[in-house]
Amino acid sequence: MHREYLPSSALHVWTKLNGVQGNGVTTDNVSGGRGLGLVATAEQPGNGAILLTVPPHLVLSRGNVWDYAKADNNLREVLDAVGEYSQTARGAILIFLLMQITHTALSGSDKIAVSNPLTEYIKFLPPEVSLPTFWAEEERDLLAGTSLEAALDSKLKSLDREFTHLRDSTAAIGWCQKHWWNTETGTLTFGDWKQVDAIYRSRALDLPGTGHAMVPCIDMANHASGDNTIALYDTDANGNAVLVLRESKSLQVGDEVTITYGDEKGACEMLFSYGFIEDTMTSARELFLDLDIADDDPLKFAKKAVSKSAPGFKLFTNEGSIGWEGDFVWLGCVNEEDGLEFRLLRTVEGETELKVFWKDDRVSDISWLRKLLEENPQWDIFHLRAIATLQGRVEQQLLALERSKGSISIPRPEINGNFSSYRTIMRLRELEERLMLQAYEDFEEKVHSIKNELFMGIEN
């Protein structure tokens, strides 16, 4: 679908017309190939000055999307048609973005939707967002053995399901059929859906008091972590979104004003959501590995049915040490002979539900299982099973990463034109391999330690 664009040099006009108040900052190209960013136009002492104030109605949130829908019947039609999906911040905002792009792509009597201040703001957003969801197959092949390989595959499938749901839900709406889905007159593609997803993921902030939202102008700020973060975003007493200079920071004319997209985010998540890995990052920080219940486990299907957590675990570094999280792991470490049981119980509505029991006590939440196991005399055995499971899965991932090295040690001719993605992927591979090697060694030490404790317990 055709998108209209406006030059960034005209953004200051939009801000004045819509009540965005700037205090010594503007958008401009920044050094280091970082594209557009926020740059200081005046000196600011380190006194926590407010650099930007964005009125509440300009914050693109789930609530504001539904408010705009009160005066926009076309927007309301689509929000209602997709059902529960539009009740989420992501769903409502993606549909809103798509509606604004559709509005500007049509002309004359074909116009749909109602123009609003954000219709024009979206024209200032860059035409390309270099996220992995747009990578060619040759680039995706380079991810073999990384945690991003499975995450990207899952994301593309999820986007396809969303796009199919959008088509099926709106095909009966006349203007949707004409301008989106008709084989002759419709222009909406899966690529357009990926585009609005990329705009949202790369720009959404977790705004205090609002939740996930896009904030015009503040979302132009680039990322810098730790002490390099210059400003923080917040909500003031009047509901305005504000960009505030950190107390410890001062600005000179020409300095870039940065925010953090999340200091705790790992290399995989940064590349997945924002398309880059920070140059100063020396650790993958965290990664998620999927995990399945063993095929010979007689309770496999019951365990998977009751688990509400992701089927896998997160590895992370904590002050140089390895940590992990994953309620799903504990389900795979115990069985019926240990005290785990599943029962079908009837609800007050007369339906049957599968429930979990441990030693005849009902487990209402799987996240409680670890605590129950810790209180059991067999805890060391359960703990050993868990650590051995983690170590085996990490070893499997390391082997996959190692096996793929031979085919990517030299940049492939097919992607030489996009060497930046190759370089970034290679950094991801290096950082994740380092984290997994550290995890494997840490798990090895834990296995030996637990075995020694068990052996000493037997002797005593």
Side-chain angles (χ1 to χ4, degrees):
M1 182 176 292
H2 172 71
R3 274 184 66 190
E4 287 188 6
Y5 299 97
L6 290 172
S8 59
S9 58
L11 183 57
H12 72 283
V13 177
W14 183 89
T15 60
K16 289 181 179 179
L17 290 173
N18 292 283
V20 177
Q21 299 176 17
N23 177 23
V25 292
T26 188
T27 55
D28 202 351
N29 288 308
V30 296
S31 60
R34 289 157 61 87
L36 278 179
L38 293 181
V39 178
T41 59
E43 292 186 5
Q44 296 277 8
N47 59 359
I50 295 178
L51 304 177
L52 278 172
T53 302
V54 182
H57 71 279
L58 294 180
V59 174
L60 183 48
S61 63
R62 186 191 70 84
N64 277 348
V65 168
W66 281 93
D67 282 345
Y68 280 121
K70 294 175 182 177
D72 188 335
N73 290 332
N74 297 132
L75 173 59
R76 183 60 185 257
E77 278 184 297
V78 178
L79 292 173
D80 287 341
V82 299
E84 292 183 0
Y85 182 71
S86 62
Q87 297 301 319
T88 65
R90 170 188 159 76
I93 294 172
L94 259 64
I95 289 170
F96 180 87
L97 291 171
L98 189 61
M99 291 293 293
Q100 306 318 303
I101 293 171
T102 303
H103 175 82
T104 58
L106 301 176
S107 60
S109 60
D110 284 334
K111 278 283 188 185
I112 58 96
V114 177
S115 180
N116 58 69
L118 292 172
T119 307
E120 296 302 302
Y121 181 74
I122 292 168
K123 296 178 183 179
F124 291 105
L125 302 183
E128 294 183 2
V129 185
S130 300
L131 299 191
T133 44
F134 292 98
W135 284 353
E137 183 178 352
E138 292 79 12
E139 292 168 286
R140 295 200 299 270
D141 287 345
L142 300 177
L143 296 172
T146 69
S147 63
L148 184 53
E149 180 184 25
L152 180 55
D153 181 64
S154 177
K155 180 63 177 179
L156 290 170
K157 290 178 180 177
S158 175
L159 287 171
D160 184 67
R161 287 193 298 271
E162 288 177 342
F163 189 65
T164 299
H165 175 63
L166 176 67
R167 183 182 61 234
D168 293 346
S169 301
T170 61
I173 299 175
W175 67 264
C176 290
Q177 181 59 230
K178 178 180 178 180
H179 299 301
W180 282 358
W181 312 122
N182 187 277
T183 54
E184 295 182 0
T185 60
T187 58
L188 183 62
T189 67
F190 182 52
D192 296 317
W193 188 246
K194 290 198 298 181
Q195 184 74 13
V196 293
D197 163 74
I199 290 172
Y200 172 74
R201 282 194 292 128
S202 62
R203 293 181 172 274
L205 307 173
D206 190 2
L207 188 65
T210 298
H212 292 146
M214 290 171 57
V215 185
C217 300
I218 292 179
D219 68 7
M220 292 288 184
N222 286 316
H223 166 78
S225 63
D227 192 53
N228 293 321
T229 302
I230 301 299
L232 306 173
Y233 50 86
D234 204 346
T235 303
D236 69 12
N238 297 317
N240 300 304
V242 292
L243 185 65
V244 184
L245 185 66
R246 291 177 66 185
E247 293 283 353
S248 59
K249 299 296 180 181
S250 60
L251 289 173
Q252 302 297 318
V253 175
D255 287 348
E256 183 180 6
V257 180
T258 57
I259 61 175
T260 177
Y261 297 171
D263 283 15
E264 75 289 348
K265 292 178 179 177
C268 177
E269 186 175 358
M270 289 299 294
L271 182 52
F272 179 77
S273 296
Y274 306 108
F276 68 90
I277 298 174
E278 196 172 8
D279 291 339
T280 57
M281 186 176 287
T282 58
S283 166
R285 292 182 186 158
E286 64 178 34
L287 60 87
F288 182 86
L289 294 180
D290 60 345
L291 188 67
D292 199 3
I293 304 293
D295 289 335
D296 60 358
D297 187 331
L299 299 179
K300 175 177 179 176
F301 297 106
K303 290 178 178 180
K304 295 180 75 169
V306 300
S307 178
K308 296 180 181 179
S309 59
F313 59 95
K314 181 173 73 174
L315 283 176
F316 58 90
T317 55
N318 182 18
E319 297 181 352
S321 299
I322 293 294
W324 69 274
E325 296 175 352
D327 296 331
F328 188 79
V329 174
W330 300 106
L331 274 176
C333 296
V334 289
N335 235 312
E336 195 169 13
E337 60 270 20
D338 302 309
L340 184 69
E341 185 183 357
F342 294 90
R343 300 178 190 172
L344 283 172
L345 300 182
R346 191 171 297 278
T347 67
V348 292
E349 291 82 11
E351 299 178 352
T352 56
E353 289 184 349
L354 189 63
K355 298 297 181 182
V356 187
F357 286 78
W358 174 255
K359 301 292 185 181
D360 289 327
D361 291 326
R362 182 174 166 181
V363 182
S364 300
D365 192 324
I366 294 300
S367 63
W368 300 351
L369 185 56
R370 172 172 178 155
K371 181 174 175 56
L372 293 172
L373 297 181
E374 286 177 338
E375 296 170 350
N376 191 278
Q378 299 290 93
W379 163 246
D380 283 341
I381 293 176
F382 303 147
H383 193 197
L384 179 61
R385 291 175 187 171
I387 299 301
T389 298
L390 297 174
Q391 186 183 31
R393 181 62 185 89
V394 169
E395 181 181 25
Q396 180 186 39
Q397 194 73 17
L398 281 168
L399 289 173
L401 195 62
E402 184 65 29
R403 282 194 298 267
S404 66
K405 286 182 179 179
S407 60
I408 63 168
S409 57
I410 299 174
R412 299 182 183 185
E414 305 97 298
I415 64 167
N416 273 344
N418 192 11
F419 187 75
S420 62
S421 68
Y422 170 83
R423 185 176 56 210
T424 305
I425 294 169
M426 294 306 290
R427 278 200 69 210
L428 176 68
R429 293 174 64 88
E430 177 187 350
L431 293 173
E432 290 202 340
E433 181 177 38
R434 192 183 304 163
L435 174 57
M436 288 190 290
L437 285 171
Q438 184 183 355
Y440 184 88
E441 294 172 359
D442 185 77
F443 293 149
E444 184 73 10
E445 291 179 5
K446 281 186 170 63
V447 166
H448 285 303
S449 175
I450 298 171
K451 284 183 176 179
N452 287 337
E453 290 179 10
L454 285 169
F455 181 71
M456 291 176 65
I458 293 173
E459 284 191 331
N460 295 331

